[in-house]
């Protein structure tokens, strides 16, 4: 399969944060350029941090706040003639506006969605994240999502959805890494926020230390108030001397080089780049189950436990720390399981969208047919229900607060409202 695209544009408001989406945009640009596609990177802020890695592989366009966005995009399409535009960050109003501007222009648009279907419920419980992405998706010609299960979810909402593999920064031919300085160093990497559940790592560590007293936990990526809460919990659990907190940093390679085991406590993830990065370095992962992840389909190089089984997680970690043969086997499986997730596979999943939009291939199969479709839809219902239960439990205090306030006042606290609470949205917009 060869591409029919000579030039494409990639849009994301800013690449200065260096989070997951920024890294995906960087890797996409390099992969497309490698296959002979001219890439134009369009942002709202000048590209600085990633410029050294990208400037020899693409052109840059920075939208000005002083001029009409519509006029600027029309000029970009007229002068650079991209066949399509890939939009990232639909949670930004600018992305939705961009999709509307591009709709009548002679260019195809693809919305790249970076979260998995239950994530908004874990994050805020607000359907607004679904609404913004769905509204933007309906202005685009196709949607790119992070798993086969997500493809069925967005297809059920009326989108022309494709699974595209996220880029993984590794070389399949790289030599086997040297053994870590200590298998007893446990790494948790990510922003300390829902639904990553960083506090679970501390509870698991408290379970682990009686089995492996010299084990250490490194928690990297934290900052601000959330890190303060984790520090307090560490003291309350009596494990402060065994836990190190490291702030967010651009270069995570030294963290992996010094770690023996990767710990993942999330309830929901998208493609989960940290899992891919650990696999690439031969670092076994112990994690709670996230059944729709593409990286978990073969279950190699990972130990998967039901969510909340802290003792089981500690048992698996202890076994890896204490059994050199088991560790070596899991390390080799981790690297081998990642070999299919290479740059060529990334490009082929994107090329399938290009061919679909050019009418060279049929659209994705009907989600109503086949055993896999039935399994995926069952999984979607199960995971959405689990996320909903989690959000209800987290928000229970709000219900109790208003009920208690009404009891104290003897009347609804807000005149004109039946119960004093803001009416709930009825669901996704039609």
């Amino acid at each position: 399969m060869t591409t029919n695209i000579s030039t494409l544009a990639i849009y994301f408001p800013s690449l200065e944060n260096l989070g997951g989406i920024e890294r995906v945009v960087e890797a996409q640009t390099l992969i497309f350029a490698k296959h002979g596609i001219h890439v134009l990177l369009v942002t709202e802020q000048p590209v600085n941090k990633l410029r050294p890695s990208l400037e020899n592989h693409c052109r840059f366009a920075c939208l000005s706040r002083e001029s009409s966005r519509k006029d600027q995009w029309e000029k970009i399409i007229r002068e650079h003639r991209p066949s399509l535009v890939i939009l990232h960050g639909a949670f930004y109003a600018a992305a939705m506006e961009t999709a509307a501007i591009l709709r009548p222009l002679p260019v195809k648009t693809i919305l790249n969605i970076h979260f998995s279907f239950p994530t908004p419920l874990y994050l805020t419980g607000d359907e607004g994240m679904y609404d913004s992405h769905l509204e933007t998706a309906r202005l685009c010609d196709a949607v790119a999502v992070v798993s086969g299960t997500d493809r069925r979810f967005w297809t059920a909402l009326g989108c022309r959805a494709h699974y595209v593999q996220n880029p993984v920064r590794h070389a399949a031919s790289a030599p086997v890494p040297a053994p870590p300085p200590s298998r007893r160093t446990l790494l948790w990497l990510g922003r300390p926020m829902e639904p990553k559940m960083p506090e679970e790592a501390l509870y698991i560590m408290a379970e682990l230390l009686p089995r492996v007293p010299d084990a250490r936990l490194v928690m990297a990526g934290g900052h601000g108030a959330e890190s303060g809460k984790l520090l307090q919990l560490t003291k309350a659990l009596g494990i402060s001397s065994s836990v190190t907190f490291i702030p967010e940093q651009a270069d995570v390679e030294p963290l992996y080089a010094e770690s023996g085991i990767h710990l993942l406590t999330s309830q929901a993830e998208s493609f989960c780049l940290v899992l891919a990065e650990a696999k690439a370095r031969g670092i076994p992962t112990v994690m709670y189950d996230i059944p729709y992840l593409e990286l978990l389909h073969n279950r190699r190089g990972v130990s998967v436990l039901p969510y909340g089984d802290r003792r089981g997680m500690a048992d698996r970690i202890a076994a890896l720390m204490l059994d050199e043969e088991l560790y070596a086997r899991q390390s080799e499986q981790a690297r081998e399981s990642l070999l299919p997730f290479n740059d060529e596979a990334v490009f082929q999943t994107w090329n399938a969208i290009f061919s679909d939009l050019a009418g060279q291939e049929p659209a994705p199969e009907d989600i109503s047919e086949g055993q896999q479709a039935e399994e995926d839809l069952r999984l979607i219902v199960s995971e959405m229900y689990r996320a909903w239960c989690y959000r209800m439990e987290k928000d229970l205090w709000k219900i109790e607060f208003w009920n208690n306030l009404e009891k104290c006042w003897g009347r609804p606290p807000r005149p004109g409202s039946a119960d004093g609470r803001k009416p709930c949205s009825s669901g996704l917009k039609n």
Side-chain angles (χ1 to χ4, degrees), residues 138-169:
R138 287 173 173 169
L139 293 169
C140 296
D141 297 285
V143 170
V145 296
V146 293
S147 75
T149 308
D150 281 283
R151 186 191 66 76
R152 295 190 185 279
F153 177 84
W154 288 98
T155 300
L157 293 177
C159 301
R160 193 180 187 93
H162 288 256
Y163 159 60
V164 295
Q165 183 187 304
N166 256 17
V168 176
R169 290 177 294 161

Short mmCIF file of all heavy atoms in Angstrom, two decimals, residues 138-169:
data_model
loop_
_atom_site.label_atom_id
_atom_site.label_comp_id
_atom_site.label_asym_id
_atom_site.label_seq_id
_atom_site.Cartn_x
_atom_site.Cartn_y
_atom_site.Cartn_z
N ARG A 138 -17.95 15.74 13.50
CA ARG A 138 -18.99 15.82 12.47
C ARG A 138 -18.67 16.86 11.41
O ARG A 138 -19.29 16.87 10.35
CB ARG A 138 -20.34 16.10 13.14
CG ARG A 138 -20.88 14.89 13.88
CD ARG A 138 -22.12 15.19 14.69
NE ARG A 138 -22.69 13.97 15.26
CZ ARG A 138 -23.64 13.94 16.17
NH1 ARG A 138 -24.14 15.08 16.63
NH2 ARG A 138 -24.11 12.79 16.63
N LEU A 139 -17.71 17.73 11.72
CA LEU A 139 -17.25 18.70 10.72
C LEU A 139 -16.10 18.14 9.88
O LEU A 139 -15.72 18.74 8.88
CB LEU A 139 -16.79 19.98 11.41
CG LEU A 139 -17.87 20.81 12.11
CD1 LEU A 139 -17.22 21.89 12.98
CD2 LEU A 139 -18.81 21.44 11.09
N CYS A 140 -15.55 17.00 10.31
CA CYS A 140 -14.39 16.41 9.65
C CYS A 140 -14.81 15.24 8.76
O CYS A 140 -15.93 14.73 8.84
CB CYS A 140 -13.37 15.95 10.68
SG CYS A 140 -12.67 17.29 11.67
N ASP A 141 -13.87 14.79 7.94
CA ASP A 141 -14.14 13.68 7.02
C ASP A 141 -13.89 12.33 7.66
O ASP A 141 -14.41 11.31 7.20
CB ASP A 141 -13.28 13.84 5.77
CG ASP A 141 -13.61 15.09 5.00
OD1 ASP A 141 -14.66 15.11 4.33
OD2 ASP A 141 -12.83 16.06 5.07
N ALA A 142 -13.06 12.28 8.71
CA ALA A 142 -12.76 11.02 9.38
C ALA A 142 -12.24 11.30 10.78
O ALA A 142 -11.87 12.43 11.11
CB ALA A 142 -11.72 10.22 8.58
N VAL A 143 -12.24 10.25 11.59
CA VAL A 143 -11.75 10.33 12.96
C VAL A 143 -10.70 9.24 13.16
O VAL A 143 -10.91 8.09 12.75
CB VAL A 143 -12.90 10.15 13.97
CG1 VAL A 143 -12.36 10.00 15.39
CG2 VAL A 143 -13.86 11.32 13.90
N ALA A 144 -9.57 9.60 13.77
CA ALA A 144 -8.52 8.64 14.11
C ALA A 144 -8.54 8.43 15.61
O ALA A 144 -8.50 9.40 16.38
CB ALA A 144 -7.16 9.16 13.66
N VAL A 145 -8.62 7.18 16.06
CA VAL A 145 -8.74 6.87 17.49
C VAL A 145 -7.67 5.87 17.91
O VAL A 145 -6.97 5.30 17.08
CB VAL A 145 -10.14 6.32 17.83
CG1 VAL A 145 -11.20 7.38 17.58
CG2 VAL A 145 -10.46 5.06 17.02
N VAL A 146 -7.54 5.65 19.23
CA VAL A 146 -6.37 4.96 19.77
C VAL A 146 -6.53 3.46 19.95
O VAL A 146 -5.60 2.79 20.38
CB VAL A 146 -5.95 5.59 21.11
CG1 VAL A 146 -5.45 7.01 20.91
CG2 VAL A 146 -7.11 5.56 22.10
N SER A 147 -7.70 2.91 19.66
CA SER A 147 -7.88 1.46 19.79
C SER A 147 -9.03 1.00 18.91
O SER A 147 -9.88 1.80 18.49
CB SER A 147 -8.16 1.07 21.25
OG SER A 147 -9.49 1.41 21.61
N GLY A 148 -9.08 -0.30 18.68
CA GLY A 148 -10.19 -0.87 17.91
C GLY A 148 -11.51 -0.69 18.63
O GLY A 148 -12.56 -0.47 17.99
N THR A 149 -11.50 -0.79 19.95
CA THR A 149 -12.73 -0.60 20.72
C THR A 149 -13.21 0.84 20.62
O THR A 149 -14.41 1.10 20.48
CB THR A 149 -12.50 -0.97 22.19
OG1 THR A 149 -11.93 -2.29 22.27
CG2 THR A 149 -13.80 -0.96 22.97
N ASP A 150 -12.28 1.80 20.67
CA ASP A 150 -12.67 3.21 20.49
C ASP A 150 -13.25 3.45 19.10
O ASP A 150 -14.15 4.28 18.93
CB ASP A 150 -11.46 4.11 20.71
CG ASP A 150 -11.16 4.34 22.18
OD1 ASP A 150 -11.88 5.12 22.80
OD2 ASP A 150 -10.23 3.71 22.69
N ARG A 151 -12.74 2.74 18.11
CA ARG A 151 -13.29 2.89 16.76
C ARG A 151 -14.76 2.52 16.73
O ARG A 151 -15.58 3.22 16.13
CB ARG A 151 -12.51 2.03 15.76
CG ARG A 151 -12.95 2.26 14.32
CD ARG A 151 -12.36 1.23 13.37
NE ARG A 151 -12.88 -0.10 13.62
CZ ARG A 151 -14.09 -0.51 13.27
NH1 ARG A 151 -14.92 0.33 12.65
NH2 ARG A 151 -14.50 -1.73 13.51
N ARG A 152 -15.11 1.45 17.40
CA ARG A 152 -16.52 1.04 17.42
C ARG A 152 -17.37 2.05 18.21
O ARG A 152 -18.52 2.31 17.86
CB ARG A 152 -16.65 -0.36 18.02
CG ARG A 152 -15.97 -1.41 17.17
CD ARG A 152 -16.29 -2.82 17.61
NE ARG A 152 -15.51 -3.78 16.83
CZ ARG A 152 -15.82 -4.20 15.62
NH1 ARG A 152 -16.91 -3.73 15.03
NH2 ARG A 152 -15.06 -5.07 14.98
N PHE A 153 -16.81 2.59 19.28
CA PHE A 153 -17.53 3.58 20.07
C PHE A 153 -17.88 4.80 19.23
O PHE A 153 -19.03 5.25 19.18
CB PHE A 153 -16.68 3.98 21.28
CG PHE A 153 -17.29 5.05 22.15
CD1 PHE A 153 -18.20 4.72 23.14
CD2 PHE A 153 -16.94 6.39 21.98
CE1 PHE A 153 -18.75 5.71 23.95
CE2 PHE A 153 -17.49 7.38 22.78
CZ PHE A 153 -18.40 7.03 23.77
N TRP A 154 -16.87 5.36 18.53
CA TRP A 154 -17.12 6.58 17.76
C TRP A 154 -17.90 6.29 16.48
O TRP A 154 -18.66 7.14 16.01
CB TRP A 154 -15.79 7.27 17.44
CG TRP A 154 -15.22 7.90 18.67
CD1 TRP A 154 -14.24 7.38 19.49
CD2 TRP A 154 -15.62 9.12 19.29
NE1 TRP A 154 -14.01 8.22 20.55
CE2 TRP A 154 -14.85 9.30 20.46
CE3 TRP A 154 -16.56 10.10 18.96
CZ2 TRP A 154 -14.97 10.40 21.29
CZ3 TRP A 154 -16.69 11.20 19.80
CH2 TRP A 154 -15.90 11.35 20.94
N THR A 155 -17.77 5.09 15.94
CA THR A 155 -18.60 4.71 14.80
C THR A 155 -20.07 4.66 15.20
O THR A 155 -20.96 5.09 14.46
CB THR A 155 -18.16 3.36 14.22
OG1 THR A 155 -16.80 3.43 13.81
CG2 THR A 155 -19.02 2.96 13.02
N ALA A 156 -20.33 4.15 16.42
CA ALA A 156 -21.71 4.09 16.92
C ALA A 156 -22.31 5.48 17.08
O ALA A 156 -23.53 5.64 17.03
CB ALA A 156 -21.75 3.34 18.25
N LEU A 157 -21.45 6.50 17.24
CA LEU A 157 -21.93 7.88 17.35
C LEU A 157 -22.01 8.58 15.99
O LEU A 157 -22.25 9.78 15.91
CB LEU A 157 -21.00 8.68 18.28
CG LEU A 157 -21.01 8.25 19.75
CD1 LEU A 157 -20.00 9.06 20.55
CD2 LEU A 157 -22.40 8.38 20.36
N GLY A 158 -21.81 7.81 14.93
CA GLY A 158 -22.00 8.35 13.59
C GLY A 158 -20.75 8.87 12.91
O GLY A 158 -20.85 9.55 11.88
N CYS A 159 -19.57 8.56 13.46
CA CYS A 159 -18.32 9.05 12.87
C CYS A 159 -17.71 8.00 11.94
O CYS A 159 -17.92 6.81 12.11
CB CYS A 159 -17.30 9.38 13.97
SG CYS A 159 -17.86 10.62 15.15
N ARG A 160 -16.94 8.48 10.97
CA ARG A 160 -16.17 7.58 10.09
C ARG A 160 -14.83 7.36 10.80
O ARG A 160 -13.87 8.11 10.60
CB ARG A 160 -15.98 8.24 8.73
CG ARG A 160 -15.47 7.31 7.64
CD ARG A 160 -15.30 8.06 6.32
NE ARG A 160 -14.98 7.17 5.22
CZ ARG A 160 -15.87 6.62 4.40
NH1 ARG A 160 -17.15 6.90 4.59
NH2 ARG A 160 -15.49 5.81 3.44
N ALA A 161 -14.77 6.38 11.67
CA ALA A 161 -13.66 6.22 12.59
C ALA A 161 -12.71 5.11 12.15
O ALA A 161 -13.12 4.08 11.62
CB ALA A 161 -14.17 5.92 13.99
N HIS A 162 -11.42 5.35 12.37
CA HIS A 162 -10.35 4.39 12.10
C HIS A 162 -9.45 4.28 13.33
O HIS A 162 -9.16 5.30 13.98
CB HIS A 162 -9.47 4.84 10.93
CG HIS A 162 -10.11 4.74 9.59
ND1 HIS A 162 -9.81 3.73 8.70
CD2 HIS A 162 -11.01 5.54 8.97
CE1 HIS A 162 -10.50 3.93 7.57
NE2 HIS A 162 -11.24 5.02 7.73
N TYR A 163 -8.97 3.08 13.62
CA TYR A 163 -7.92 2.93 14.61
C TYR A 163 -6.59 3.23 13.95
O TYR A 163 -6.26 2.69 12.90
CB TYR A 163 -7.90 1.50 15.17
CG TYR A 163 -6.57 1.12 15.80
CD1 TYR A 163 -6.06 1.84 16.89
CD2 TYR A 163 -5.82 0.04 15.31
CE1 TYR A 163 -4.85 1.50 17.45
CE2 TYR A 163 -4.60 -0.30 15.88
CZ TYR A 163 -4.12 0.43 16.96
OH TYR A 163 -2.91 0.10 17.51
N VAL A 164 -5.82 4.15 14.56
CA VAL A 164 -4.46 4.40 14.10
C VAL A 164 -3.51 4.16 15.26
O VAL A 164 -3.76 4.59 16.39
CB VAL A 164 -4.27 5.84 13.55
CG1 VAL A 164 -5.10 6.05 12.31
CG2 VAL A 164 -4.60 6.88 14.60
N GLN A 165 -2.45 3.47 14.99
CA GLN A 165 -1.49 3.15 16.05
C GLN A 165 -0.70 4.39 16.45
O GLN A 165 -0.22 5.12 15.59
CB GLN A 165 -0.54 2.07 15.57
CG GLN A 165 0.45 1.63 16.64
CD GLN A 165 1.48 0.69 16.08
OE1 GLN A 165 1.14 -0.34 15.51
NE2 GLN A 165 2.74 1.05 16.22
N ASN A 166 -0.60 4.63 17.72
CA ASN A 166 0.22 5.74 18.19
C ASN A 166 1.70 5.43 17.95
O ASN A 166 2.12 4.27 18.08
CB ASN A 166 -0.01 5.99 19.68
CG ASN A 166 -0.87 7.20 19.94
OD1 ASN A 166 -1.55 7.69 19.05
ND2 ASN A 166 -0.86 7.68 21.16
N PRO A 167 2.48 6.44 17.64
CA PRO A 167 3.92 6.20 17.46
C PRO A 167 4.58 5.78 18.78
O PRO A 167 4.20 6.24 19.86
CB PRO A 167 4.45 7.57 17.00
CG PRO A 167 3.25 8.34 16.56
CD PRO A 167 2.12 7.83 17.38
N VAL A 168 5.55 4.89 18.68
CA VAL A 168 6.33 4.45 19.83
C VAL A 168 7.78 4.76 19.55
O VAL A 168 8.32 4.34 18.52
CB VAL A 168 6.15 2.93 20.08
CG1 VAL A 168 7.05 2.49 21.23
CG2 VAL A 168 4.70 2.60 20.37
N ARG A 169 8.41 5.51 20.43
CA ARG A 169 9.80 5.90 20.20
C ARG A 169 10.74 4.76 20.60
O ARG A 169 11.19 4.67 21.74
CB ARG A 169 10.12 7.16 21.00
CG ARG A 169 9.42 8.41 20.48
CD ARG A 169 9.73 9.59 21.36
NE ARG A 169 9.15 9.40 22.68
CZ ARG A 169 9.55 10.06 23.77
NH1 ARG A 169 10.52 10.92 23.70
NH2 ARG A 169 8.96 9.87 24.92
#
